[in-house]
Amino acid sequence: MRRRIWGGKSELRSEHLGEKPPRRAHGRCSGRGRVRPGPAPTGGAGEPGAAARAGPGRERTKRGEGALPRRGRRGAARSGGGTHIPRTRTPRRAHAETLRRQRVRGERMRRLRPWALVLGGLLCACAGAGADAGAGAGAGPALRSYPHSAVLDGAGAYRLRWGRRGSALALRLEVRTRGYVGFGLSASGGMASADIVVGGVEGGQPYLQDYFTDENRVLKKDPQQDYHLEYAMENSTHTILAFSRELHTCDTNDKSITESTVRVIWAYHHKDMGEAGQNYHGSNRGTKSLRLLNPEREEVSSASLPFFDLTNKDVPVPDKDTTYWCQMFKIPVQHEKHHVTKVEPLIQKGHENLVHHILLYQCSSNLNDSVLDYGHECYHPNMPDSFLTCETVIFAWAIGGEGFTYPPHVGLSIGTAADPLFVLMEVHYDNPSFTEGLIDNSGLRLIYTPVLRKYDAGVIEAGLWVSLFHNIPPGMPEFVSEGHCTLECLEEALGAERPAGIQVFAVLLHAHLAGRAIRMRHFHNGEEQKLLAYDDEFDFNFQEFQYLEEERTILPGDNLVTECHYSTVDRIRMTWGGLSTRNEMCLSYLLYYPRINLTRCASIPDIMEQLQFIGVKEIYRPVRTWPFIIKSPKQYKNLSFMDAMNKFKWSRSEGLSYNQLVLKLPVNVRCSKTDNAEWSIQGMTALPPEIERPYKTEPVICSSSSSSSLHKIGNFSTRIQCSVGKIP
């Protein structure tokens, strides 16, 4: 049985948020917590320190209120009018004293200017800067400090920007409302047991309040306030809030922010949170899965680079829950080496939930253009033989993910004899509602450059071989499966191709609907290293590559273990490894460089001891059917492997015992080359490594905080206490 897996963005510029273009006049903080126009700024629009740069010292100089020009003072002194000179000083001594004071004041201003810029911005934020509509939506912290952004709703009314700042996360909300704005983190994507912050600007005063909800979705004020307001403003159409929070707060009511998927919840209302109590947000709410700690990546402008599209043409999607559609393409770039720098999904509008994943496989270069004539359902008995030559994954995209940008020193090579000429694009359509009449034209866009990069990228598929040998009993709140990229496979492939090792720079973790968490464990010389990648809040509908903060070296003799956690509490029958979303997988895709001749490093547990666990004694041999037929004992006679496993009376204790058995079973090694050949270790049996279970998570350093926050600039530090309005 062949294995196979799986189975644009609108920029809302903040200066355009209002109905009218914002005024360029920046404000100074007034005692009333609003913004009054200040002098014309000398800096860029929207910078919080603009008012500070146009401060009182510069105003006096411009109005002539400071010292007169040297010549004017001297002339006035000599004529005896205009300037009073103390009798105790001569004109020359007075002039020297004036110059000395100017030098001292100038030196002080130069030393304090960075502090003044930040202090001015912080004080304006605390006093409610931006409450005037005329202040302009561009005011506040510079957008460059938020490298990531996402529109959370379909109407474009709620935009989130964020970025990591040391041990804290900085967030900026831009919402089309003049009422309150709610934002939260939730394990389930709902209101139950959520970590929530609510803020806005009411009567010219900003407010920001830390809340949490219990399991019954009751909103409660958090005794420990861990969200810190940095900036707030309201104009005629929008409310903007900028705030921060430590990743780990020591507060049991807060959700720690990690590299795992985060289910963000959001809401807003056209009224503020006032004395009348909470205004229900109604339909102005939603949830979206994000990865808040994905490292900032260096974007190389691709606007002027050439590209080509690989898209399906009017594919009729059957009215069944799972369809894999395969279409062959020919790479148009030939005879000269180029590097693909970015791959973007081209998902037909309205089909965002229909297209579950897209895989791109390299096929045999001995094919001819006749294979391009038509597509066909994958894994079908009548599919073209040419499809069988396509085994090497060169790119993978899954639902919820955005475009993938390669690092500046790495690219996907095309155009040479060793590169793909024919590729197979596999699209997994997920249609659980059995909708009829769907026609799809989705695919991928590949952006490339003739300016070559230092390294060619490769992909290794690791984890569990997709097979019925991978199975999960029903009714289990937790069941763990492991797929091994074994020491034996890596030792042979890397030893022959790259003894110095390869560098992994991104990982895609993949499971199906029963998946709850996935970890990629890394062992070197038998000792466990830091997790290569993990997602403890896995969301089937949000799967994208994780960029590694630091590239990881994989050496000959290392072990890689893909560890998948599942829940089948709502299922009454076995869950089987397979292509459907109702089946399961446990896979990880490693993007690495330099490219070597290894495309698959996986395993599957031995089947006979699984059968013995449920009491099977004998099967019919030779095995002529799949699934094979059982001969004895009597209660399983003439049943298939699947039927026998389903017939067994599974309990949670039996499921736990079975799980412990499976994790210790010998594994069949899968170790494949890119040209459909196999390394000599392929098909051999190996023992899984001795590893600690469960995985011992690394301790996190949490930061207990209050409503004040410490800001440090150079050698200056101060504690700014922001005043926020009370919320009942």
Side-chain angles (χ1 to χ4, degrees), residues 148-150 160 162-163 169 257-264 288-297 399-402 507-510 518 533-539 542-548:
H148 307 287
S149 70
L160 166 68
W162 75 92
L169 186 72
I257 301 171
T258 70
E259 295 175 20
S260 296
T261 297
V262 178
R263 289 165 176 82
V264 165
K288 187 178 181 68
S289 289
L290 297 171
R291 189 164 282 114
L292 295 178
L293 296 190
N294 225 358
E296 182 179 356
R297 53 191 185 272
I399 189 169
E402 297 182 345
V507 177
L508 175 66
L509 302 173
H510 179 69
I518 310 177
Y534 69 92
D535 190 346
D536 291 334
E537 302 285 347
F538 176 76
D539 182 354
F542 177 72
Q543 302 184 43
E544 67 173 3
F545 276 103
Q546 296 184 29
Y547 297 85
L548 302 191

Side-chain angles (χ1 to χ4, degrees), residues 172-485:
R172 173 180 166 120
L173 309 179
E174 302 168 359
V175 187
R176 193 184 301 144
T177 184
R178 299 192 66 192
Y180 74 76
V181 174
F183 176 84
L185 309 174
S186 166
S188 64
M191 279 288 289
S193 304
D195 175 8
I196 295 173
V197 62
V198 178
V201 178
E202 183 174 15
Q205 293 293 329
Y207 60 92
L208 192 77
Q209 185 76 61
D210 188 351
Y211 289 99
F212 69 95
T213 57
D214 59 21
E215 62 275 9
N216 297 317
R217 303 187 298 174
V218 177
L219 190 67
K220 302 178 181 180
K221 180 181 175 181
D222 196 331
Q224 180 175 306
Q225 293 290 299
D226 291 304
Y227 288 91
H228 303 298
L229 181 67
E230 297 178 358
Y231 177 81
M233 97 153 241
E234 184 181 88
N235 66 12
S236 61
T237 61
H238 281 72
T239 295
I240 298 178
L241 298 173
F243 53 91
S244 63
R245 205 210 80 177
E246 290 292 320
L247 304 180
H248 313 286
T249 64
C250 309
D251 185 352
T252 56
N253 297 322
D254 290 345
K255 182 175 175 58
S256 284
I257 301 171
T258 70
E259 295 175 20
S260 296
T261 297
V262 178
R263 289 165 176 82
V264 165
I265 57 175
W266 57 270
Y268 63 92
H269 196 277
H270 67 279
K271 293 182 180 180
D272 283 295
M273 299 277 281
E275 294 182 357
Q278 301 168 11
N279 292 308
Y280 180 59
H281 46 66
S283 61
N284 297 325
R285 62 181 175 85
T287 181
K288 187 178 181 68
S289 289
L290 297 171
R291 189 164 282 114
L292 295 178
L293 296 190
N294 225 358
E296 182 179 356
R297 53 191 185 272
E298 185 178 341
E299 286 277 1
V300 178
S301 176
S302 58
S304 60
L305 292 179
F307 64 87
F308 58 89
D309 294 340
L310 308 177
T311 55
N312 284 324
K313 303 300 180 188
D314 298 327
V315 172
V317 181
D319 55 342
K320 59 182 182 179
D321 66 340
T322 298
T323 300
Y324 284 76
W325 184 263
C326 286
Q327 174 70 56
M328 198 81 75
F329 295 90
K330 190 175 185 179
I331 299 295
V333 181
Q334 302 167 35
H335 312 305
E336 186 178 351
K337 181 167 181 167
H338 293 73
H339 270 137
V340 172
T341 61
K342 187 173 184 178
V343 183
E344 297 178 338
L346 299 175
I347 308 303
Q348 182 174 320
K349 187 175 178 60
H351 287 187
E352 291 81 6
N353 292 324
L354 175 68
V355 180
H356 180 266
H357 80 253
I358 302 176
L359 286 179
L360 208 57
Y361 293 91
Q362 180 172 341
C363 305
S364 170
S365 58
N366 297 325
L367 302 175
N368 58 54
D369 290 358
S370 65
V371 300
L372 308 175
D373 291 343
Y374 64 96
H376 200 281
E377 191 170 341
C378 312
Y379 316 115
H380 191 278
N382 296 328
M383 74 177 187
D385 291 341
S386 58
F387 289 9
L388 298 174
T389 72
C390 311
E391 286 286 340
T392 299
V393 176
I394 59 174
F395 185 76
W397 171 89
I399 189 169
E402 297 182 345
F404 181 83
T405 301
Y406 288 87
H409 54 297
V410 186
L412 174 62
S413 180
I414 55 174
T416 75
D419 296 332
L421 176 59
F422 292 95
V423 294
L424 180 76
M425 186 175 74
E426 172 189 295
V427 180
H428 174 191
Y429 294 112
D430 185 30
N431 185 16
S433 61
F434 302 94
T435 304
E436 298 180 0
L438 294 172
I439 303 295
D440 185 66
N441 293 277
S442 300
L444 299 171
R445 170 167 292 174
L446 281 71
I447 300 166
Y448 63 97
T449 177
V451 181
L452 298 183
R453 299 183 167 193
K454 187 173 182 180
Y455 298 107
D456 293 343
V459 180
I460 296 175
E461 179 187 296
L464 265 168
W465 185 265
V466 180
S467 164
L468 296 177
F469 288 15
H470 174 211
N471 46 75
I472 306 164
M476 297 299 296
E478 169 141 327
F479 189 92
V480 180
S481 299
E482 291 176 353
H484 298 274
C485 179

Side-chain angles (χ1 to χ4, degrees), residues 26-38 48 51-52 119-130 231:
H26 288 256
R28 293 172 297 171
C29 295
S30 71
R32 297 186 300 276
R34 294 181 66 82
V35 173
R36 52 191 175 89
L119 179 60
L122 289 171
L123 291 178
C124 283
C126 295
Y231 177 81

Side-chain angles (χ1 to χ4, degrees), residues 432-697:
S433 61
F434 302 94
T435 304
E436 298 180 0
L438 294 172
I439 303 295
D440 185 66
N441 293 277
S442 300
L444 299 171
R445 170 167 292 174
L446 281 71
I447 300 166
Y448 63 97
T449 177
V451 181
L452 298 183
R453 299 183 167 193
K454 187 173 182 180
Y455 298 107
D456 293 343
V459 180
I460 296 175
E461 179 187 296
L464 265 168
W465 185 265
V466 180
S467 164
L468 296 177
F469 288 15
H470 174 211
N471 46 75
I472 306 164
M476 297 299 296
E478 169 141 327
F479 189 92
V480 180
S481 299
E482 291 176 353
H484 298 274
C485 179
T486 62
L487 177 150
E488 293 82 1
C489 178
L490 288 175
E491 198 161 52
E492 181 178 10
L494 288 174
E497 296 266 327
R498 182 74 179 177
I502 56 175
Q503 303 297 123
V504 177
F505 59 87
V507 177
L508 175 66
L509 302 173
H510 179 69
H512 284 182
L513 289 172
R516 295 296 179 268
I518 310 177
R519 298 187 182 119
M520 186 68 168
R521 301 175 69 171
H522 177 204
F523 297 83
H524 177 64
N525 291 333
E527 293 189 7
E528 182 151 19
Q529 311 297 300
K530 181 181 177 182
L531 287 174
L532 189 61
Y534 69 92
D535 190 346
D536 291 334
E537 302 285 347
F538 176 76
D539 182 354
F540 172 72
N541 291 311
F542 177 72
Q543 302 184 43
E544 67 173 3
F545 276 103
Q546 296 184 29
Y547 297 85
L548 302 191
E549 194 166 357
E550 295 180 357
E551 295 177 351
R552 184 74 63 89
T553 304
I554 308 298
L555 294 165
D558 283 6
N559 290 82
L560 299 175
V561 181
T562 305
E563 176 187 288
C564 296
H565 295 246
Y566 303 99
S567 173
T568 59
V569 290
D570 57 347
R571 303 188 181 191
I572 60 174
R573 298 174 68 83
M574 292 289 291
T575 297
W576 301 95
L579 301 174
S580 169
T581 52
R582 264 52 64 182
N583 297 142
E584 266 311 325
M585 295 186 181
C586 181
L587 294 168
S588 50
Y589 287 83
L590 283 64
L591 265 63
Y592 72 94
Y593 69 86
R595 182 177 62 184
I596 62 173
N597 195 11
L598 177 64
T599 186
R600 190 169 301 106
C601 184
S603 72
I604 194 68
D606 180 75
I607 189 64
M608 294 312 297
E609 290 196 47
Q610 296 182 47
L611 289 167
Q612 290 170 10
F613 181 86
I614 65 170
V616 172
K617 300 185 181 304
E618 190 178 8
I619 63 173
Y620 285 103
R621 295 179 184 276
V623 176
R624 301 186 184 277
T625 61
W626 179 258
F628 46 78
I629 303 301
I630 296 170
K631 189 173 182 180
S632 66
K634 187 176 180 179
Q635 70 263 33
Y636 296 137
K637 187 172 183 179
N638 294 329
L639 293 181
S640 69
F641 167 53
M642 297 177 68
D643 290 337
M645 293 289 274
N646 280 321
K647 185 176 180 179
F648 184 75
K649 289 182 170 36
W650 291 100
S651 64
R652 290 192 180 180
S653 60
E654 291 282 8
L656 181 61
S657 299
Y658 181 67
N659 200 172
Q660 294 171 345
L661 168 73
V662 169
L663 293 177
K664 297 177 182 177
L665 291 179
V667 297
N668 187 280
V669 177
R670 302 292 171 179
C671 193
S672 307
K673 298 182 178 181
T674 58
D675 54 1
N676 299 326
E678 298 167 344
W679 290 97
S680 64
I681 194 67
Q682 170 85 7
M684 304 290 284
T685 299
L687 288 173
E690 291 288 335
I691 64 176
E692 185 176 358
R693 299 187 184 93
Y695 172 78
K696 186 178 293 185
T697 56

